[in-house]
Amino acid sequence: MASDLFTIGSSGVKAARTALEITSQNIANAATDGYIRRSVRLSEMAGPGSWLRVSDLSLSGVRVDGIGRNADLFRQVEVRRTGGDAARASTELRGFENIEAALEQSALFPALTGFEASLQRLSSDPVNPSLRAAVLEDARTLSRTFNLAASALDTAGEGQRFEASDGVNQINLLAGELGRVNLQLTRTTTGTSDQVTLLDQRDLLLERLSGYGDIAVSYAPDQTVEVRMGGGPTPLVSGGNAAPLAMSANADGTLAFTLGGNPITLSSGKLAGHAQTLTALRDNRATLDGIADSLIAAANTAQASGVALDGTPGQPLFTGSGAAGIAVALAAGDAIATAPAGAAAGSRDPANLAALRDALQTAGISGQVDGLLFTASSAVAGRRVTSEALDAIASSARIALDEQAGVDLDQEAANLVQFQQAFQASGKALQVASDIFDTLLALK
């Protein structure tokens, strides 16, 4: 009996010590990113019975079956899904804010209203040199604001493509690391400390990947994972292999992605946000170019219908095309065709100037600029609402996972007391066994 007590007591001491170590590990890593609470799995240890035993089993104590992770697959999937959506919305919001800033900070609408106001002032005295010079200068200011807005949009696009390129590099880096974790998982024993550490690394890498693009994960019996991205036929990670993700810029500045040489379409994550922002940039740039071309056509057509101050036929007011190419073509204010065709030199007839103002109004240049700015502002407001909603959903999913898989310091403190008492009680059993054994040896 004393021998059995020694076995039972020593197994209890070992189990309690392991449980104390796991609890201490949980406390030490309570704030570690990606750490999932561990727990020790215990089972009864019993051996077959022998001669003169009351039953067919002899009690032999307790054994440690392994170390478990308090992980919930469903909650982890939700964190990845909602986190990817929130990352896409947040990236898209920042991109749309850049578009809005590029258009508003160029002061395009004030420059256009200033040009129209100078035309109206000139109509009161068409031969006034200072008023003609003011019109020409305001026209230059207007053309430069178009240039500035186009340049700002181009700069915003370059920033988006740079960040997207960095995101592609991060995905390839994370995928390669996940492949190495897969290989290590195939070489570890189930339930060991090495395995649970690798599983934490695996899940953290999956969560980080989901922040860049939508992923689908399948799990093998040995806990390795196969990861697919963007619905493509080629796995991003399969076993220890990682397929390369590549990005290319289309002629219009938008993005295209390939995985292992096959095209994919991303619907969540930062890369999807960059792609959608660049699509919006393309559309806004096309609208801006269209407004500039409308301004050039309306002004130049009106100029061609009149004569300059010296009686010569009117020449184009603007040259170039698009917002980036528009520029003032006239060198002096005298060349502004304020009088109608056939008028004598020095005519004070403002009929063609009125035609120029009517042409700008008919083309709706001011309305188009105002609509462009309003659309950009509305898009930002809408994306902000979406981003805040998705961020709240992602935060709720994260909180639910942390409550289930995170470390509760109060619970761990209680476990410390419980396992310490178990350790002391098992030690007491060893002491009793020692006393009994000494008593038996002392019998004569």
Side-chain angles (χ1 to χ4, degrees), residues 31-49:
T32 300
D33 188 24
Y35 182 84
I36 294 179
R37 180 181 178 273
R38 272 83 153 137
S39 59
V40 62
R41 293 196 301 267
L42 304 176
S43 64
E44 181 183 10
M45 185 169 59

Side-chain angles (χ1 to χ4, degrees), residues 156-240:
E158 291 173 2
Q160 291 292 317
R161 284 185 288 273
F162 177 81
E163 292 181 12
S165 177
D166 179 68
V168 169
N169 293 335
Q170 289 297 318
I171 286 179
N172 288 327
L173 182 65
L174 293 171
E177 186 62 28
L178 186 57
R180 286 187 286 274
V181 170
N182 272 347
L183 288 178
Q184 294 177 36
L185 280 171
T186 61
R187 302 165 185 163
T188 58
T189 304
T190 301
T192 61
S193 178
D194 287 342
Q195 188 197 45
V196 294
T197 300
L198 288 171
L199 293 178
D200 279 357
Q201 294 178 8
R202 180 202 68 185
D203 292 343
L204 182 59
L205 289 170
L206 289 174
E207 184 177 337
R208 289 177 177 173
L209 275 173
S210 66
Y212 290 99
D214 48 305
I215 61 173
V217 183
S218 56
Y219 298 83
D222 59 0
Q223 300 302 312
T224 59
V225 293
E226 180 182 88
V227 181
R228 293 182 177 272
M229 175 171 282
T234 304
L236 175 65
V237 178
S238 180

Side-chain angles (χ1 to χ4, degrees), residues 80-89 91-92 171 209-216 229-230 257 265-276 390:
R80 292 198 295 267
R81 182 184 64 81
T82 57
D85 289 340
R88 174 193 55 76
T91 302
E92 194 174 351
I171 286 179
L209 275 173
S210 66
Y212 290 99
D214 48 305
I215 61 173
M229 175 171 282
F257 299 99
T265 301
L266 300 176
S267 59
S268 71
K270 295 179 181 179
L271 290 184
H274 290 309
Q276 293 180 17
L390 291 177

Side-chain angles (χ1 to χ4, degrees), residues 277-333:
T277 298
L278 286 167
T279 299
L281 272 167
R282 177 201 62 192
D283 295 341
N284 279 273
R285 178 61 189 275
T287 301
L288 184 66
D289 287 341
I291 296 173
D293 290 337
S294 296
L295 173 65
I296 293 170
N300 290 351
T301 299
Q303 275 284 111
S305 300
V307 294
L309 189 60
D310 60 0
T312 59
Q315 299 300 310
L317 176 59
F318 294 105
T319 186
S321 64
I326 185 174
V328 173
L330 300 181

